[in-house]
Amino acid sequence: MGVKEKARIMDAEAIRRALSRIAHEIIERNRGIKDLLVVGIRRRGVPLAQRLCDRIAEIEGARPAMGILDITLYRDDLTTRSEQPVVHRTEIPVDVKGKKVVLVDDVLYTGRTIRAALDALMDLGRPELIQLAVLVDRGHRELPIRADFVGKNVPTSRKEMVELRLNEVDGTEDMVLIVEKD
Amino acid sequence: MRLKSKHVLGLREMEAEEINLVLDTADSMKEIIGREIKKVPTLRGRTLVTLFYEPSTRTRTSFELAGKYMSADTVNIATTTSAVVKGETLKDTARTLEMMGTDVLVMRHPISGSCHLLARTVSCSVINAGDGMHEHPSQGLLDLYTIRQKKGKIAGLRVAIVGDILHSRVARSNLWGLTKLGAEVVVTGPSTLLPPAAQELGVRATSRVEEALEGADVVNVLRLQLERQKGGLFPSIREYSRMFGVNRERLALAKPDVLLMHPGPMNRGVELSSEVADSVYSSINEQVTNGVAVRMALLYLLLGGGEAA
Amino acid sequence: MRLLISGGRILDPQRGVDGEGDLLVDGDRIGEGTRADRVIDARGLLVVPGLIDLHTHLREPGFEYKEDLVSGTHAAARGGFTTVVAMANTSPVSDCRATVEWVIGAARARAVVNVLPVGAVSKGQKGEELAEIGDMAAAGAVAFSDDGKPVTNGELMRCALQYAAMWGRPVITHCEDRQLAGEGVMHLGYWSTVLGLRGIPAAAEAAMVARDIMLAELTGGRLHLAHLSTARSVELVREAKARGLAVTAEVTPHHLLLTDEAVATSGFDTDTKVNPPLRTPADVAALLEGLRDGTIDAIATDHAPHHQDDKDVEYNYAASGISGLETALALVLDRLVGQGLLELGQAVRALTAGPARVLGLDRGTLAPGAPADVTVIDPSREWTVEPALFASRGRNTPFKGWKLRGQAVLTLVGGRIVHEAIA
């Protein structure tokens, strides 16, 4: 099955600006970085979370705590997928209790990944609040979930896929693409 | 990537990359065991049955905890409390358990090959928790995991396995796993307790314990079944511990950072002298955690995915 | 009734006959001439003396759920066997005139092939006191054996050989040193190590073969060694024969075709459990050589039917034995003769004249005047071993699913057709 690139909806510069804006919004909404914990969801949420932390550090002069969440064991589609996902480690270096957690992911779609992430996070303790930051919101929610911080809203059809390419992961220039299966 | 078989019957039947997948997955599972709330929902609605025809505390408990940490329902059946005492055959017992909706059967049995019989009988997954003198794959994986954790690698290590190799399922699973991952294995013990055809198994065999321990990175000392002495395989416990027991002097022949292991339970003063036994105990807690992590990994890899394509 | 088997390749190793021709069955004897009431077209088929199995467990009386005289002899007929030698380890053990006579009488009434009873060597096969060998010989026992159990007591074996010699009957021995075999369930070697199953060393057999040969020499008795499985045993028999001792030997198809590796490749399938155990490729090679050079006199099935319940259990708990009557001929023709490991004449001899000579029978030949026991074989018929279709109640065979060439298509016992499957 081949995929066809339909459109490039964000380039490196757009991504940089969006993350910068989100960093400002996070600081503003939480009145600084006290008790802030930025948690990237594997896999592309992790480099995005790192970049957000970098930007927040530039603005505030101090780095917020950061963690990595693997949601494989919380997925609701494990028994229906033919390909078994590899489990990776969850690495949250601080106690989540009482923290203001910002979950970071690349694309918000059905909301099922975020549901799994919320469950995974709750199993680690009781945060004060949880917010959600995504680079792209493409719609088609299947659960009552919305993002607090959005880089770009992109209307899509269900046949399309939204793909984020990041230098750290893919070795290419940063970009967000809409692709379609042939 | 997934395991090629839906059963885990032995390490001889697993490929190196499958073994590595289990070890890598166990790494991720270990984080969960360290949490305050040791629970993930992955195996909700799945049922794990442990069927033990031999007494065991640690292996059975370890599987049960692994299942519970992953939210599976677990049921334990021991021979003394089951229909087995009424003369029910293994196949009939297995079919009954399967009818009750079992997803994975974990069995320990005194006869080699019984898990193969079970796997042929039922359609659910079967994990061998030790069959006779054949294999004990989850123990083998746990030992590999511990070695990899302590030494950072397995390939190229010199591993000595000491004791009753002939009757040991732990030794068999260990030597298959170690040789597949590139370790150099030497087995040692009295010649009556060494397996015939050791060379063909890809390991070196010697009755000189000193020779086996020399330069070893890892020394795995097996439990001596004391009843073997009655079978005439060696003259006395005293002679065994003098000639083949691992003590401080013999251990000094190994590398200075040698990892000393024992699958437990230990006969203090027999296969291990008291002074070295204590150093093994220091790592026993770690072993227990590792055992649960490895078994969680097996359960996830067997039950966590959909049907194989 | 005269039956003419016409145009087949007649192979009678005892008379050195091998060629196309007609065979007349005149009543219950082999006749001469071609005038017949019925003619069977045997062109393209092999016509051989009725096969003789020196080693059959018919299980009756006592274990009818495993096999009985009807199912067992039907299995024999289908496999091309016209004579089977019935072992004595029934329940009760056939250890006196009454049981031997019962077997002969019951076989006359219900069996479809000739059943020659073996009497036990010791009372109850307990290995303690001699059974009434003379009385059983007079009643019709053709040989004496505690088969299934070795005779551990050397003195008892010495007496048995010496005593049976008075009636010119052989003692058939199952050679196994009980202590060395211990709780073993397969050959001791690489595969027993891999599988963690207790092993039976080759020496457990060879040591007893050596003892029994020495006792045969000491007593001048007739010794027949059952189901040889090791290279060393073959050497010992070869040496005994070279020295002129009255020693004969048999080998089974499974020991000629399978090795201990089968236990592993089958995943501990209990149908590979047999006593003596499947051995190594070197043993198989030596057994074949022994068969070729005449050291081994006969191929015998050691037909040991078991009920599914005796096999569908853990390896150590499973009964030993293979249901062999219905596969032996095809295995020998396809996997030995077909593979160039044995000549056709040697194979037929080992299934006819060879076993007849071991027991001094007037069978195993197509000479005019001999009993009309005839087997007609279609050497090119292909079939698949499907235990569910066996006539035998024992479906225990490690050869299940094997595709084989060659099958008995007509079996005559005393001139009577007991199996007919000519296309």
Side-chain angles (χ1 to χ4, degrees), chain B residues 12 89-91 95 109-114 116-117 120 131 133-134 167 172 176 195-197 200-201 228, chain C residues 188-198 264-270 308 311-317:
Chain B
R12 189 173 82 88
T89 66
L90 174 58
K91 286 185 93 157
R95 287 200 188 101
H109 196 288
I111 294 172
S112 305
S114 299
H116 282 77
L117 173 67
R120 273 201 295 273
D131 63 326
M133 309 183 289
H134 176 226
H167 301 97
R172 277 176 185 72
W176 293 123
E200 292 169 64
L201 297 173
R228 302 278 178 235
Chain C
L188 177 79
Y190 173 76
W191 288 108
S192 69
T193 304
V194 167
L195 298 176
L197 288 170
R198 287 189 190 270
T265 50
S266 69
F268 296 87
D269 182 352
T270 55
Q308 187 183 326
K311 281 288 193 182
D312 253 4
V313 292
E314 294 86 329
Y315 207 84
N316 291 8
Y317 298 160

Side-chain angles (χ1 to χ4, degrees), chain B residues 18-66:
Chain B
E18 293 179 277
I19 294 172
N20 280 323
L21 174 66
V22 176
L23 302 186
D24 292 343
T25 307
D27 247 340
S28 309
M29 297 299 178
K30 213 174 157 183
E31 177 263 325
I32 295 163
I33 304 170
R35 294 181 188 175
E36 199 178 349
I37 303 166
K38 302 172 180 58
K39 196 124 194 139
V40 291
T42 321
L43 300 182
R44 263 190 325 180
R46 302 298 192 114
T47 305
L48 174 152
V49 173
T50 65
L51 178 59
F52 273 57
Y53 287 83
E54 266 183 1
S56 153
T57 317
R58 68 188 75 200
T59 303
R60 192 193 56 67
T61 311
S62 186
F63 271 111
E64 187 182 353
L65 284 177

Side-chain angles (χ1 to χ4, degrees), chain A residues 15 43 51 64 66 80 91 93 96 112 125 127 157 174 180:
Chain A
I15 292 170
R43 174 168 187 215
R51 290 186 189 188
M66 199 204 126
T80 52
E91 296 167 36
V96 301
R112 287 176 190 273
S157 90
D174 296 349
E180 193 169 62

Side-chain angles (χ1 to χ4, degrees), chain A residues 61-125:
Chain A
R63 244 187 121 74
M66 199 204 126
I68 297 170
L69 199 62
D70 185 273
I71 56 125
T72 311
L73 297 171
Y74 291 83
R75 298 181 75 110
D76 60 5
D77 59 353
L78 276 176
T79 55
T80 52
R81 292 167 64 101
S82 64
E83 194 55 34
Q84 185 173 36
V86 174
V87 186
H88 292 283
R89 270 181 104 91
T90 287
E91 296 167 36
I92 312 262
V94 295
D95 190 351
V96 301
K97 194 175 157 200
K99 292 286 186 304
K100 297 171 183 169
V101 176
V102 179
L103 274 175
V104 182
D105 204 1
D106 53 352
V107 179
L108 178 59
Y109 180 31
T110 62
R112 287 176 190 273
T113 301
I114 304 306
R115 193 282 307 160
L118 289 172
D119 284 350
L121 206 52
M122 297 298 201
D123 276 357
L124 296 172

Side-chain angles (χ1 to χ4, degrees), chain C residues 302-367:
Chain C
D302 193 5
H303 177 75
H306 285 294
H307 191 269
Q308 187 183 326
D309 289 350
D310 299 321
K311 281 288 193 182
D312 253 4
V313 292
E314 294 86 329
Y315 207 84
N316 291 8
Y317 298 160
S320 293
I322 290 170
S323 179
L325 282 171
E326 288 164 84
T327 52
L329 175 64
L331 288 170
V332 170
L333 290 179
D334 187 18
R335 300 303 166 103
L336 296 180
V337 177
Q339 299 294 315
L341 296 168
L342 198 64
E343 285 170 25
L344 181 61
Q346 293 172 318
V348 172
R349 177 186 292 276
L351 287 162
T352 59
R357 212 180 60 85
V358 169
L359 293 178
L361 305 176
D362 62 347
R363 301 172 188 273
T365 175
L366 296 175

Side-chain angles (χ1 to χ4, degrees), chain A residues 91-171:
Chain A
E91 296 167 36
I92 312 262
V94 295
D95 190 351
V96 301
K97 194 175 157 200
K99 292 286 186 304
K100 297 171 183 169
V101 176
V102 179
L103 274 175
V104 182
D105 204 1
D106 53 352
V107 179
L108 178 59
Y109 180 31
T110 62
R112 287 176 190 273
T113 301
I114 304 306
R115 193 282 307 160
L118 289 172
D119 284 350
L121 206 52
M122 297 298 201
D123 276 357
L124 296 172
R126 186 176 185 279
E128 185 187 318
L129 57 85
I130 300 175
Q131 296 162 347
L132 174 62
V134 296
L135 187 60
V136 175
D137 182 347
R138 60 169 292 196
H140 304 291
R141 215 75 78 240
E142 292 168 4
L143 295 170
I145 281 169
R146 63 164 183 81
D148 300 89
F149 313 103
V150 179
K152 189 178 175 75
N153 283 294
V154 181
T156 59
S157 90
R158 281 181 180 276
K159 281 184 288 184
E160 294 166 333
M161 293 185 293
V162 177
E163 287 190 357
L164 169 64
R165 306 268 162 85
L166 286 178
N167 187 263
E168 303 94 303
V169 180
D170 306 290

